[in-house]
Structure formats: structure tokens, C-alpha cells
Amino acid sequence: MQHPGEGLSLDGPLRLGNRGEKVVALRRLVERAGSLPPGAAPDVFDDTLEAAVRAFQQRRGLVADGVVGVQTLRALEGARWHLGDRALLLTDGPLMRGDDVATLQERLVVLGLLPGPVDGVFGPLTDRALRELQRSLGVEPDGVCGDATLRAMDALARAVGGGDPWALRQQAEVADAGLSLAGKVVVLDPAHGGIDRGVVAEGLHEDDIAFDVATRTAARLRTIGVEPVLTRDAYDGPDDVTRAARAEEVGADVVLSIHCDGLTSPQASGVATFFWGDDRVGARSATGEHLASLVQREIVARTGMTDLRTHACTFDILRVTKMPAVQVELGYLTHAADAARLADPGFRDLVAEALVVAIQRLYLGEEDAVTGTLRLEDVLEYARLVESGSR
């Protein structure tokens, strides 16, 4: 089944005031994803359409700015599919994606057949879990989720419930990884880069700040035997999917994506962290949430910055990565005090140390340190004790 709006491509973000056929296609996608009151004209990006886009972005854990860029468009195109609209299967070409795939995955997670994650992508793990379900239901195990499989699943769903085995699996993986950071691979992702400078304010550029903090963090990680990998150099700016693929390629244990923020309001200030998650079972990184909380607390304790807390979201760099990933917003370049601190190399050193300690605390366990008190020297001593067998 084809839905109106499919095939919309962007040669630049769509926003308030735009006109044309792309806006018509966008309006149809937004209508499919939720309620949209009639606008002044179908080919005009008006206030009504902007409000609907913002509401959709907020529901999906995206930046609710009312601007339709690549991530928002991808989420809207996924939302046009409901389970049962089309047969789902593992394809040889581009993998099938959409909310219907996520709904199927969620059911497989609840039944204990799919360990996770619920990412809306029909890959080999989903195919394997579906075939196992089909065999148990007495349905042809062809790996195609069509009418017969859906009818059998609906009958089963009325009698079966479950939990979130993926969260338990993530927690077990951290516990089994050992206490020392030595030998682990940490991917540091400095935001933006290349022609994309990110937020520019107070004489500062977000891409420069992010890259500097990443290199300072990498230097500290090397001293404790960690292999740090940066997703870009000082000049290029790959997209988030490419950055996530780099993390997969090097076998990262965790990913830290480093950003700064900016708003038109000069009063906005503070630090926030984000992890992948939405309201589906299995669509939440329990370890990512824990690490985000540790990063948030360590930075706030060391710097005294305003605590904007930790939040679930569906940013690509967090959604696409298969390992625990955190995005940290280190402050607002549009806030004079935040910008002054971010311009200070000593402040960036504090942030780098906070990031290293937060990663170590992920493997230590909560009882091993009080927030803000563990120093890099302590981490080095701990690594030495673990290596010598004294711990």
C-alpha cells in the first residue's frame, strides 16, 4: 500500500512560510502521523502546519522547532505505516523501516523472542524472531509478517504479556564487562564540523568547542588504557548515520556525542544530557539512560552549571548506534555566562574529566564513588589496582 507523501525529498529544511508541492506532500505526511486542522492553503507552510510539526517532534523526542529537516522527515515517513498496511519481511535491498516494523518488534520483545532494540528497522534479528514466532504459532515460517501471522499474533496478544528483556541484557553486558576501563573503546563524537559550524554566538563556534572538548577527553582516556576514537577530524562533518557506523566499525563500548546549544532567548542556560528512548517496550537504552545520568551529575557537580537534567529522545546518533550512547549539551553559546565558561580552556578540562569519570562510574557501580569527588588520579589508581589484582 502506498500512502500520499511517500517519496518526499529535501534539498533544504522546510519551515514556516515555504510554499509548493513539497509542502503539499509534507502536509499529507503530517496528516497521516496525527491530527492536522485545515490550513489556509495546502501548499503553504502556515502556522497550523508548524504547530502540528512541533507537536509531532515533541512526541517523537526530536527538537521541537517546527522545522522539517532530515531527522523529522525520516520520523514522519516512518509514522505513515501502521502494522497491517503492508507485508513486512527482510529485503535484499534497503531494509524496511517504519512504525509498523517497530510495533512488530515491540510485540516480539514482549513475547521474549527479540532481545531488542525496537528501532523500527527490519533486520536479521527481527527476521529470526519472526520465524521463531511463526513456528510456535503453527504459521508458515516464511519470515513474512502478513495477514495470517497478524491474526495469530492478535489472538496470542490477548493472553500474553511481558517485560523488557533488552534492558536486562544491557545491564548484564555492563556487569560482565569488568570494572576497569583499560582495553575499552570509547567513541567521542564532536558535533557538526566542515561547513556546518553549529551554533555561532559570542565569538564562538559550536564545532570548535565540541572538537576541543573531545580531544581533551581523548587524551585523558588514553592515560587509563582506553582507546578513544573520534568520529571526525577538525575539518569534516559527516552525518549522524555515518558517525554511528564508525562506532559500529571500531566496536565501541560507549559513544559520547558532544554539543553546545543556542536559543534566541539570551536567558537560556545550563547543561543537559540525552539518551535514546521512547514509550515503546524495548525502545529505550537502559544503560544509555544510566550513563547520561552519570554524565549530567558529574558535570553539574564539578562546574555548578544549571542542571537541565537528562531526557529520552530519538536523535539519530543515539537511535542508530547499537551500544550505549549519550548526547551532552554543554551549555548555551547564546548565554553570555555559559559562553564565557565554554571559552575557558580550564572549564573544558573540567568537562573532560567529568566525562572520563562518568564512564568509569558506569562500570564501577553507584556505591563506589560520590558524585563530583572522583578525580582522574583516582581513576588511574583504580585501574592500576585492578590490573595488579589488588581489587
Side-chain angles (χ1 to χ4, degrees), residues 13-64:
L14 291 174
R15 50 168 51 91
L16 186 65
N18 286 159
R19 296 171 177 267
E21 288 302 313
K22 289 185 183 294
V23 175
V24 175
L26 171 64
R27 187 176 291 275
R28 289 171 177 164
L29 282 174
V30 176
E31 287 173 345
R32 177 73 180 171
S35 60
L36 175 62
D43 64 343
V44 177
F45 198 131
D46 58 11
D47 292 336
T48 302
L49 180 55
E50 185 192 46
V53 169
R54 286 181 184 273
F56 175 81
Q57 289 171 324
Q58 188 169 24
R59 290 197 304 271
R60 292 303 175 105
L62 300 169
V63 176

Side-chain angles (χ1 to χ4, degrees), residues 123-142:
L125 287 178
T126 303
D127 174 70
R128 192 177 309 137
L130 175 61
R131 290 175 188 271
E132 184 177 343
L133 174 63
Q134 289 174 323
R135 281 190 289 269
S136 67
L137 294 174
V139 177
E140 173 72 21
D142 57 4

Side-chain angles (χ1 to χ4, degrees), residues 192-193 195-200 205-207 333:
H192 306 286
I195 62 172
D196 178 10
R197 306 305 305 273
V199 179
V200 179
H205 297 82
E206 180 183 2
D207 62 333
L333 295 183

